[in-house]
Amino acid sequence: MNPNPPSNPGGYPGQDPSDPHEQTQLRPTWQSGENAQFGAPSNPQFGAPSNPQYPAQPAFAPPGGQGPQGPGAPGFPPGPGAPKKPRPGWLIPALIGGGAVLLVIVLIAGIAIVKSVGGGGDTGSPGATVKAYFAALQAGDAKKALSYGKEAPASTELLTDEVLRKQRDLAPIKDLKIVSESGGYMGTVHLTVTIGQVSYDEELSMEKVGDDWKLATAAVQLKPYFSYDSDKKNVTILGKPLPESGVVYVFPGALDLGSSNKNLVAQKLKYSSTDDKGQASVKGLSRFSVSGSLNIGFGLSDAAKTSVRQQIAARYSACAASKDGYPSGCPQSDFSGEKGTYSWTAPNVDEIDLSGDVRDGQLSISGSQVWNFTATGRDGRPITGSDSGYVSSTVTVTADAVAVSSR
């Protein structure tokens, strides 16, 4: 027989294990209803109350070390040494599944909150889109800049990082300010910005695409105007040849018009009939803008002008060498002196105006220049004088040469 009795065998909580008849006060557990742990079951047939009760403590432990059993008998928690009942196997997957569902709900709620406050990042409002667009231009990121436009341009030949960075270097973007903005289905942004030395004060139309605001287009459409196809073949924009379609899509800013013909340069240009800014205008980003037209004129390059003056100087030199008062094929003439006694001084060819437009490969120059002379008069005395010789010449320009012909 074990001299050490088991720890509270079959007894109730609070009993002294050495004396089952000795009891200590128990703290009741409150619970209502049929499943109350210590209270009597709610049964109208027996008039049992449904309110929580203190458990009735038996004065002795029943045989077999078990507490009272049967319907309605109170159940007691296991003793300190009793093994815990394992959780049902289905509970763990249920908890995991419930956690996953909760996570999905939180994520969906978070997305909804972001969307509700304009969570499209840098496109959550009309003004934010405009700011992000000009930041992409200044950063030289063509792909990102194009992402802020609703309508994709028909051609991206001049919408590359390389070309955009050239524009930025020629005319940096600065002092962007959103003066005002409005939303709704269609939005507007009133902005001011400086590109290079040109200041803009424009109002752009914006469009809502999902939760994001977009510019109507991220590129400006231009249609350079040429009277002759030969001029069209010579033009370059930002160092690139004009597309075969004759329509150009560029970002706002510098155009750097030029020519593939080394003997030609682009003259002062006009962008549309009302805008003489010399750039692709910010206004071209608006939905209600029309295609801008470039009126491009070509002039002689510096090298071509030098060649023209050299050719004219050679003609003048031959005319100045004549002793006649009316040299054949020359612009000067005088009849006051004796024949064969003239000494001519040719005009300065640097004073000839060569700033006109080259159209269809030709430049017309005309005007009068002063020729000074000395001669022997009819009375034998020396005379001096001058003549305004009128010159009319045509300069023909090709890719390889410049030729002057006089009329």
Side-chain angles (χ1 to χ4, degrees):
M1 183 172 187
N2 189 354
N4 296 321
S7 175
N8 198 16
Y12 304 108
Q15 286 183 321
D16 186 345
S18 63
D19 187 357
H21 299 286
E22 179 68 22
Q23 299 183 16
T24 59
Q25 186 176 357
L26 296 176
R27 185 182 299 275
T29 299
W30 293 94
Q31 191 170 351
S32 62
E34 292 184 354
N35 296 323
Q37 188 175 7
F38 292 110
S42 177
N43 191 335
Q45 182 178 357
F46 297 99
S50 61
N51 292 329
Q53 303 292 324
Y54 285 101
Q57 297 291 337
F60 59 92
Q66 299 296 325
Q69 301 294 323
F76 298 97
K84 295 182 179 179
K85 185 178 181 180
R87 291 182 177 177
W90 53 266
L91 184 58
I92 294 177
L95 290 174
I96 296 175
V101 171
L102 179 61
L103 178 60
V104 171
I105 292 174
V106 170
L107 289 175
I108 293 174
I111 293 171
I113 292 172
V114 171
K115 293 292 186 181
S116 68
V117 297
D122 50 10
T123 58
S125 71
T129 295
V130 170
K131 288 181 179 179
Y133 173 74
F134 280 98
L137 293 185
Q138 184 60 18
D141 192 337
K143 184 177 181 180
K144 188 168 186 180
L146 288 173
S147 71
Y148 297 114
K150 178 183 178 183
E151 180 179 330
S155 170
T156 58
E157 292 180 47
L158 299 178
L159 300 173
T160 64
D161 289 352
E162 174 193 0
V163 175
L164 175 56
R165 288 166 186 168
K166 183 175 183 179
Q167 282 185 290
R168 177 200 60 191
D169 294 342
L170 291 171
I173 298 170
K174 58 184 179 181
D175 301 332
L176 173 67
K177 180 182 178 182
I178 305 300
V179 179
S180 64
E181 60 180 300
S182 63
Y185 175 72
M186 299 290 293
T188 58
V189 174
H190 180 190
L191 71 127
T192 59
V193 68
T194 300
I195 303 180
Q197 301 301 315
V198 180
S199 296
Y200 293 91
D201 186 338
E202 304 291 350
E203 188 172 276
L204 301 181
S205 58
M206 309 289 292
E207 298 185 34
K208 196 76 175 289
V209 179
D211 294 317
D212 299 321
W213 284 97
K214 300 281 188 179
L215 292 158
T217 177
V220 180
Q221 185 191 70
L222 301 176
K223 294 181 179 179
Y225 172 76
F226 301 94
S227 299
Y228 304 96
D229 289 340
S230 59
D231 295 332
K232 182 178 179 179
K233 294 178 181 178
N234 288 324
V235 70
T236 60
I237 297 179
L238 292 162
K240 303 293 184 179
L242 183 69
E244 290 294 330
S245 64
V247 179
V248 182
Y249 293 88
V250 293
F251 291 115
L255 289 173
D256 190 33
L257 293 175
S259 173
S260 57
N261 186 331
K262 65 180 181 180
N263 294 314
L264 297 175
V265 293
Q267 299 284 64
K268 183 180 179 181
L269 57 96
K270 290 184 179 293
Y271 171 66
S272 81
S273 59
T274 58
D275 188 350
D276 192 18
K277 297 182 182 296
Q279 294 185 349
S281 176
V282 172
K283 186 184 298 183
L285 300 174
S286 182
R287 178 175 180 266
F288 301 105
S289 69
V290 295
S291 298
S293 61
L294 287 174
N295 182 16
I296 304 173
F298 288 107
L300 294 176
S301 66
D302 289 342
K305 289 178 180 179
T306 298
S307 177
V308 168
R309 289 195 168 99
Q310 288 174 344
Q311 293 179 55
I312 293 175
R315 290 175 180 270
Y316 280 5
S317 179
C319 289
S322 175
K323 297 298 182 179
D324 292 337
Y326 189 10
S328 175
C330 295
Q332 78 276 24
S333 63
D334 183 75
F335 300 97
S336 61
E338 288 290 338
K339 196 173 185 179
T341 64
Y342 282 82
S343 179
W344 295 97
T345 301
N348 185 354
V349 294
D350 290 338
E351 297 175 355
I352 299 174
D353 183 9
L354 299 177
S355 63
D357 289 345
V358 179
R359 300 178 184 276
D360 196 22
Q362 292 188 330
L363 169 66
S364 296
I365 56 177
S366 61
S368 298
Q369 287 188 289
V370 176
W371 289 72
N372 295 313
F373 68 86
T374 61
T376 301
R378 297 183 186 279
D379 58 1
R381 289 181 296 182
I383 59 174
T384 59
S386 63
D387 177 59
S388 295
Y390 180 81
V391 176
S392 176
S393 302
T394 298
V395 180
T396 302
V397 183
T398 65
D400 301 321
V402 178
V404 181
S405 60
S406 298
R407 297 190 299 272

